[in-house]
């Protein structure tokens, strides 16, 4: 029994109202909740609902936050993790919603804060959120890069130096033959060939200046006509002489005896 209930009974307040239950603490958003919140923000700036300068800045923030979502487990419980989740679920939607609730002409032309319009105020807020998310992203990535460098140094101390490729001592040594030595001296030049004189012979050179091109290499006996080298180059033989005409060939009619009439040719008979 609680002390308050005991005192209430002593004071005659047995019918006092019970205490209200404590308000439950909302659970932290998970990856799906953050992704859904970013989708809603990107849908607010589509179809030309805001100027292009606002769209570009909103996409810059949402892209960095999406890259940070898989890394939230490494920074869970830190201020950077809270900034990422609050930007996706509260800071960015609230800034954009306040601008969209205003008429477009009023938001883009009427100064509201030190000469700045509502559009200029929104642009400054988006620039601040974008710069903050870039810093958080760089810090988280720098932690991973530092861990990578530390692991590399451990490997260098354990196995050797990275500049020489490392040396592993496996407990067994093997004889490695030395590399072959390449000679860099130039190759010797070949000796010049001696001039050898041609052998002298007593055979006279054939005379070809006045030689007949149709003549053959085989000599012909004296008193015989030369044999042509080929049938095409030999001249044709002359035709035989014609016999003298005779009276029978002319078939002349004899002139009557004792007359001076010349002989007459008999006309040919045609079939």
């Amino acid at each position: 029994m609680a002390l308050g209930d005991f005192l209430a009974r002593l004071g005659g307040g047995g019918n006092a109202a019970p205490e209200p239950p404590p308000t439950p603490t909302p659970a932290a958003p998970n990856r799906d909740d953050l992704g859904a919140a970013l989708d809603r923000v990107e849908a607010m700036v589509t179809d030309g609902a805001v100027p292009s300068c606002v769209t570009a800045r909103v996409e810059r923030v949402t892209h960095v936050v999406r890259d940070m979502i898989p890394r939230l487990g490494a920074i869970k419980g830190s201020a950077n993790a809270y900034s990422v989740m609050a930007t996706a679920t509260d800071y960015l939607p609230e800034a954009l919603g306040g601008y969209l609730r205003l008429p477009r002409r009023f938001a883009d032309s009427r100064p509201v804060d030190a000469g700045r319009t509502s559009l200029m105020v929104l642009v400054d807020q988006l620039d601040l959120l974008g710069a903050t998310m870039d810093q958080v992203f760089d810090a988280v990535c720098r932690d991973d890069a530092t861990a990578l460098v530390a692991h590399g140094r451990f490997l260098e101390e354990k196995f050797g130096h990275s500049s020489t490729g490392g040396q592993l001592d496996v407990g067994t040594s093997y004889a490695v033959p030395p590399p072959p030595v390449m000679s860099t001296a130039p190759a010797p030049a070949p000796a010049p060939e001696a001039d050898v004189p041609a052998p002298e012979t007593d055979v006279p050179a054939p005379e070809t200046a006045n030689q007949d091109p149709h003549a053959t290499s085989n000599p012909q006996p004296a008193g015989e006509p030369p044999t042509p080298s080929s049938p095409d180059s030999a001249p044709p033989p002359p035709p035989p002489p014609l016999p003298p005409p005779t009276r029978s060939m002319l078939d002349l009619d004899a002139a009557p005896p004792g007359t001076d009439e010349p002989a007459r040719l008999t006309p040919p008979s045609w079939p």
Side-chain angles (χ1 to χ4, degrees), residues 31 34 38 63-75 84 137 140 144:
R31 295 185 177 184
L34 296 178
L38 295 176
H63 290 170
V64 177
V65 173
R66 289 186 187 276
D67 293 339
M68 287 292 301
I69 290 177
R71 301 176 179 271
L72 290 178
I75 58 174
V84 173
F137 183 73
V140 175
D144 294 339

Side-chain angles (χ1 to χ4, degrees), residues 137-217:
F137 183 73
D138 292 344
V140 175
C141 294
R142 190 176 297 108
D143 292 341
D144 294 339
T146 302
L148 179 63
V149 173
H151 184 68
R153 292 176 179 174
F154 164 75
L155 295 178
E156 292 178 8
E157 295 177 359
K158 182 69 175 179
F159 301 115
H161 299 284
S162 59
S163 59
T164 59
Q167 296 178 359
L168 296 177
D169 187 7
V170 295
T172 306
S173 59
Y174 298 93
V176 180
V181 180
M182 302 298 294
S183 176
T184 57
E193 297 181 358
D195 295 337
V196 179
E200 297 181 358
T201 58
D202 297 337
V203 179
E207 297 181 0
T208 59
N210 300 326
Q211 185 178 0
D212 187 2
H214 300 287
T216 58
S217 60

Side-chain angles (χ1 to χ4, degrees), residues 41 44-45 49-51 93-104 107 122:
V41 170
M44 297 169 65
V45 299
V50 295
E94 182 61 26
L96 191 59
Y99 171 80
L100 294 177
R101 286 191 292 267
L102 295 173
R104 186 69 174 269
L122 175 63

